[in-house]
Structure formats: structure tokens, C-alpha cells
Amino acid sequence: MTADPAQKDLSKTAYDHLWMHFTRMSSYENSPVPTIVKGEGTYVWDDKGRKYLDGLAGLFVVQAGHGREELAEAAAKQAKELAFFPVWSYAHPKAVELAERLANYAPGDLNKVFFSTGGGEAVETAWKLAKQYFKLIGKPTKYKVISRAVAYHGTPQGALSITGLPGLKAPFEPLVPGTHKAPNTNIYRAPAFLQGPDGTVDPEAYGRWCADEIEVAILNEGAETVAAVFVEPVQNAGGCFPPPPGYFQRLREICDRHDVLLVSDEVICAFGRLGTMFGADKFGYQPDMITCAKGMTSGYSPIGATIISDRIAEPFYKGDNTFLHGYTFGGHPVSSAVALANLDIFEREGLNQHVLDNEAAFLGTLSKLRDLPIVGDVRGNGYFYGIELVKDKVTKESFNDEEVERVLYGFLSKALFDNGLYCRADDRGDPVIQLAPPLISDQSTFDEIEQILRTSLTDAWAKL
């Protein structure tokens, strides 16, 4: 017999039965599991009634904010009409309508939409499709992928292989062969030989070098073996690395020169995170595929998609050629209906323009924290920023492993939450705090984030 949920200790039950993702479960053996029960606008509440500012939009997801009744109503209406049917050789109206809408939003000839249930599956789809595409056009040796150091592209075996975080990959090796890494665009950590006498770096020269290093990786592997380059518009892991000026234009030239597909992984950056529907729009480049997920429904129902150019799709539409790949819940009717309602909100409320109008104010407010000795860099784009933490602002010396464990995980993560801010404190790469609040956020949100960060970071510095 199970107990009445109202009488249960949810924290104890969570520890006993809910295996939380990316979580050191032993941390909760004798400590309560934070349990969130309600959301409204830019805030969430826990089961004790405490209120927190959602500084990460759940997980870079809740673009339109919490508590949107029309999205819940769209889900209920669709579930009553058609709760489920697969898109395996069949269609249903909401998947058709959503595919058309995404194709209309996407740049250039990206007109074919392959649905999944999340971002990792979308990345997996893109790599499998790239490999089969080259087989169909008579270039079967092109199967490898170039991605960037420290980049995160998902947890399925293929997507994890593309990921550039050795610590996340080691427990699951051997992974899928054929993935190779090039430098990312973290100009704060630019190599010494690119720095001037005063330590400054020319952003355009740095961008050329970063793009050219991807070409070096392609040539080192042999262009005849490389199928695709996977890059995020703004790289998430490591702390929000924006592209230097001209970077993507040069990368597009390199991919064209070597007949390599350019995949824009926009699982985080799509749907307003940068103030445009797609990050490729923000930075003015044309990918061959876009992977997306999170913000498509503002998290009210799970969905993902790979958006593919007509040129890449063309051989799959001939004869008996078939992309032997799919997901049971890809293009789910309820998720598709919620996505359409969410995109209606984007258009009606001008969420993209709201981000563009306020991104400078957000960055400016966060940049006030540069006066703290622990803050080395503040970077990002749109409503997507990282704050890199250091021991020495002059030398840019980072934390050692003991300090990361003691200060970042042992103190700062909990202190931020206790002070009323849900965000991410992480050391994938160097120690950073990441911020990506709902797109409805305004100056009052930015000020609240800055004030909580200032208090928490000041206390963290005292513990170094």
C-alpha cells in the first residue's frame, strides 16, 4: 500500500525512488532534496513555500515564463482530440503545421523537419543523417565529425561522442568512433601567442584562428572522411562563449571548401534565447542543419527537431531510399500543439524583440560584478550569460580541484539557492555561473539577479 501523497515526506521519497539526472545522489542521503511545486512568471516555489527567481529558465527552457494557462489548455485540448499517433509513415495535423512553421522560421532552404523528443536525439539524428547522406551521394568514407573543446551536445552515445567534455565521456567509453575536437571561442582564455604585449586579443584575428583550427582538424583527418562540423551559436559548456566577429562566415567557407556539412546545434540558442528564432539568424550564417528543442514549447511538453536543408534531404526523397531512424514520441500531437501555442505567444508578445531591446541592459547589470575580486569575465549574448570565477584577476588563475569542490559545490551552489536564485554554478571547463532567465525578464529581474550574485560571490571569496 502506498501512502497518501499529501502525507508523504517528498524529500525522503525522492531520495528513495527518484534517480535525479546529473546528480551526486549521496548528497541527499542526510539532506533534503529541493522540491519545486509551483511556477509563476519568472519565479518558482518549493514545497516549504519559499520563492526563488528562476535564473536558468528551468534548464534554458521556460522562455515564455511559468504558469502560462493557454499552453496547458492547448495541451488538454489536443489530448482530448488526439492524444497520440506516430509520424512513422503517417501524419497528424499539428505535426504538419508545426513542421511548416519551423521551416518558415528557419534560414535559407532548411525546409525539412525531423521531430524527436529532445535535443540529444536531435543531435543524434543530425549525425546519422549526415553519414547516410554521404553514402547516398557516393561518398561513403565521409562519416567523421569535428566539434569543439568543452562543448556539450547531449547524452546519447553519438551525441556524447561529439561532446567535448572528457569527464562526462569517460564512464561510458568506448564511444562512437570518428569524433575530433578543435578549439572553442573562449577569447578570455585565448592562447598567449594571440595576445598583444598588453594581453589584449584582436577579436577578428582570434575568430579567424578559431575557424582555421577547425579546418586544420578537417585536413588532419582527411576531408574525404569528414561529414560534418557541429557548433553552437553561443557555446554553453564552459560558460557562454559567443562567436568572434566573422567566425561563422569563415567557418561556412571552410565547410563549403571541403564538402562538409555545417550543423548549428541550437538546442539552447533557438527560440529567443539570443533574441532571434535561431542563433544562425543572430550571427548571419547559413547552416545545413539546425538541431533544436528546449524553448520550442517553453518546456510545457517535450519536443525536439532537426531542421534539414532541401539539398541534404533530396537523395532521401528518391526511389526506395529511406532514413531508417525514428522515435516513438517524435512529433507528439500534444507537444506539437503546445509548440504552436508557444510560438503564438512569441509573435503576439514580441519576445524576440524584447530580448534584443534588453540584452545590453542585462549584460550591463551583470558587468557591475566585475568589481568583485572573484569575477574574471562576464560574457554571452541575448539572455544567455556566463560569469567566470577566478582566484586572481590579473593572472586569470582559476580554482584548483580542492577549491572547486569546497567553494563552488560545497558553498556557492547552495548559497545562491538559499539566497533565492536558481541558476547554474559549474566547472565544465573553468568555474562559471550561468544565467538564462525566462525571456519575459526585465530590469527588475536583472537587478535582483545582480544583488543575489553580489552577496553570494562576496561570501564565496571569503572562503577561498
Side-chain angles (χ1 to χ4, degrees):
M1 177 181 293
T2 58
D4 178 353
Q7 303 301 317
K8 279 189 173 185
D9 179 345
L10 283 179
S11 176
K12 177 64 166 61
T13 305
Y15 178 74
D16 287 345
H17 300 293
L18 178 62
W19 198 331
M20 289 165 282
H21 299 198
F22 283 96
T23 298
R24 189 182 297 179
M25 293 299 294
S26 63
S27 299
Y28 295 120
E29 184 176 6
N30 299 302
S31 300
V33 176
T35 304
I36 303 302
V37 299
K38 176 187 172 184
E40 186 67 35
T42 58
Y43 294 94
V44 294
W45 284 260
D46 68 15
D47 58 344
K48 304 296 190 293
R50 289 198 59 195
K51 178 182 177 183
Y52 306 87
L53 177 59
D54 184 357
L56 206 63
L59 196 61
F60 318 104
V61 170
V62 190
Q63 317 295 61
H66 297 276
R68 291 280 191 159
E69 290 187 8
E70 66 190 275
L71 298 183
E73 289 166 358
K77 179 181 177 182
Q78 181 58 45
K80 290 177 183 177
E81 183 175 302
L82 178 67
F84 175 74
F85 207 78
V87 293
W88 297 46
S89 301
Y90 296 87
H92 58 78
K94 294 304 181 185
V96 173
E97 186 179 347
L98 180 58
E100 180 185 35
R101 195 158 179 180
L102 294 177
N104 288 338
Y105 286 142
D109 71 337
L110 272 68
N111 290 315
K112 303 295 189 290
V113 180
F114 192 101
F115 285 116
S116 57
T117 58
E121 291 176 354
V123 170
E124 199 84 2
T125 297
W127 189 11
K128 289 178 72 175
L129 196 148
K131 289 196 279 190
Q132 189 175 353
Y133 165 75
F134 280 114
K135 287 180 171 62
L136 290 176
I137 66 169
K139 297 183 178 182
T141 63
K142 291 177 79 71
Y143 68 91
K144 297 176 184 175
V145 165
I146 309 297
S147 57
R148 300 185 295 194
V150 191
Y152 176 83
H153 292 284
T155 56
Q157 290 288 86
L160 184 59
S161 302
I162 296 172
T163 288
L165 293 158
L168 291 189
K169 298 161 71 169
F172 310 106
E173 291 175 332
L175 295 171
V176 182
T179 60
H180 305 274
K181 307 298 177 284
N184 57 47
T185 60
N186 183 5
I187 196 169
Y188 183 69
R189 297 288 179 183
F193 66 83
L194 291 173
Q195 300 176 20
D198 60 352
T200 60
V201 179
D202 175 15
E204 291 190 11
Y206 179 66
R208 287 194 301 272
W209 177 80
C210 290
D212 289 347
E213 285 298 294
I214 290 181
E215 184 171 37
V216 169
I218 291 171
L219 294 173
N220 284 345
E221 290 305 311
E224 71 282 359
T225 71
V226 178
V229 170
F230 279 67
V231 290
E232 298 162 275
V234 175
Q235 182 173 314
N236 169 39
C240 304
F241 305 145
Y247 172 80
F248 276 112
Q249 289 67 36
R250 194 169 184 88
L251 186 54
R252 180 71 266 180
E253 293 171 1
I254 289 166
C255 288
D256 288 343
R257 183 156 57 244
H258 299 294
D259 193 18
V260 171
L261 305 184
L262 178 57
V263 181
S264 189
D265 183 356
E266 306 206 14
V267 171
I268 289 176
C269 291
F271 308 112
R273 184 51 53 192
L274 306 181
T276 49
M277 274 303 175
F278 296 104
D281 299 326
K282 186 72 175 279
F283 299 117
Y285 63 96
Q286 179 61 54
D288 297 297
M289 287 186 266
I290 290 175
T291 58
C292 56
K294 295 180 182 288
M296 196 190 310
T297 64
S298 285
Y300 284 69
S301 192
I303 199 168
T306 307
I307 311 175
I308 303 123
S309 76
D310 289 334
R311 177 176 71 92
I312 307 307
E314 190 265 342
F316 292 90
Y317 279 62
K318 289 185 174 179
D320 61 356
N321 293 337
T322 303
F323 186 34
L324 298 173
H325 176 68
Y327 300 102
T328 298
F329 296 112
H332 192 281
V334 173
S335 295
S336 298
V338 172
L340 289 164
N342 180 58
L343 295 171
D344 287 344
I345 291 174
F346 265 77
E347 296 183 1
R348 185 175 69 247
E349 299 185 7
L351 290 185
N352 284 330
Q353 190 60 49
H354 179 75
V355 172
L356 295 176
D357 290 344
N358 289 279
E359 61 178 336
F362 192 11
L363 177 58
T365 303
L366 293 178
S367 293
K368 293 178 182 178
L369 297 166
R370 289 179 180 273
D371 67 347
L372 298 178
I374 198 172
V375 173
D377 194 28
V378 180
R379 56 182 177 249
N381 197 276
Y383 274 23
F384 187 34
Y385 292 101
I387 300 171
E388 183 166 335
L389 308 181
V390 294
K391 280 199 299 188
D392 189 310
K393 291 168 76 84
V394 175
T395 65
K396 303 181 183 179
E397 181 184 0
S398 190
F399 299 176
N400 60 37
D401 290 346
E402 184 275 331
E403 290 161 340
V404 166
E405 189 67 30
R406 176 168 52 85
V407 178
L408 193 69
Y409 293 118
F411 171 76
L412 192 53
S413 290
K414 186 175 187 299
L416 288 165
F417 194 65
D418 287 345
N419 288 333
L421 176 63
Y422 165 71
C423 62
R424 169 181 275 177
D426 196 18
D427 71 331
R428 291 185 294 177
D430 294 293
V432 295
I433 292 174
Q434 283 185 288
L435 298 153
L439 306 187
I440 59 173
S441 300
D442 57 17
Q443 187 61 51
S444 64
T445 312
F446 311 152
D447 289 339
E448 186 174 353
I449 289 173
E450 190 271 341
Q451 290 161 15
I452 295 173
L453 286 172
R454 181 170 293 277
T455 298
S456 304
L457 291 173
T458 299
D459 291 343
W461 178 254
K463 295 185 176 298
L464 268 176

